[in-house]
């Protein structure tokens, strides 16, 4: 993640499917939205489903912040997913 240096908010998303079939055309895919809110004192990452039609092959996400980022990060995940921070700071 690359948070704003001061205050800001950024949303990005990831689309997952089986990578083999045309199942995505039948709704067999999952969208994960990542909203990172930055203040001068902390960071908050909210992860939520946009569309949940494909069972993800993982349940844990690993978040990496850039070296030198010292603000604490709070992470909110939907049911079935967990996330942790790999400390590169």
């Amino acid at each position: 993640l690359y948070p704003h240096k001061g205050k800001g908010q950024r949303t990005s998303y990831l689309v997952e499917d089986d990578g083999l079939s045309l199942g995505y055309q039948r709704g067999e895919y999952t969208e994960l939205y990542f909203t990172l809110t930055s203040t001068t004192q902390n960071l908050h990452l909210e992860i939520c489903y946009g569309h949940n039609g494909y069972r993800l092959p993982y349940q844990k996400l690993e978040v990496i912040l850039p070296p030198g980022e010292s603000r604490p990060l709070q992470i909110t995940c939907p049911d079935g997913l967990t996330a942790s921070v790999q400390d590169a700071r």
Side-chain angles (χ1 to χ4, degrees):
L1 296 176
Y2 292 97
H4 288 275
K5 297 274 185 197
K7 295 180 181 180
Q9 186 175 68
R10 176 176 295 142
T11 299
S12 57
Y13 71 97
L14 171 69
V15 179
E16 293 273 17
D17 66 7
D18 67 9
L20 302 171
S21 72
L22 298 177
Y24 69 92
Q25 294 176 342
R26 297 183 300 276
E28 297 170 11
Y29 65 93
T30 289
E31 295 172 331
L32 287 174
Y33 285 84
F34 301 87
T35 301
L36 180 62
T37 303
S38 305
T39 69
T40 57
Q41 297 179 7
N42 58 49
L43 305 170
H44 180 251
L45 175 63
E46 180 179 10
I47 304 169
C48 62
Y49 290 113
H51 178 82
N52 191 9
Y54 170 71
R55 184 180 179 134
L56 297 173
Y58 50 84
Q59 288 79 42
K60 184 174 182 175
L61 301 169
E62 191 171 278
V63 176
I64 302 171
L65 292 169
E69 178 57 67
S70 61
R71 292 173 286 183
L73 173 65
Q74 176 189 7
I75 303 173
T76 304
C77 292
D79 289 341
L81 282 179
T82 61
S84 62
V85 177
Q86 179 182 347
D87 200 355
R89 307 181 258 187

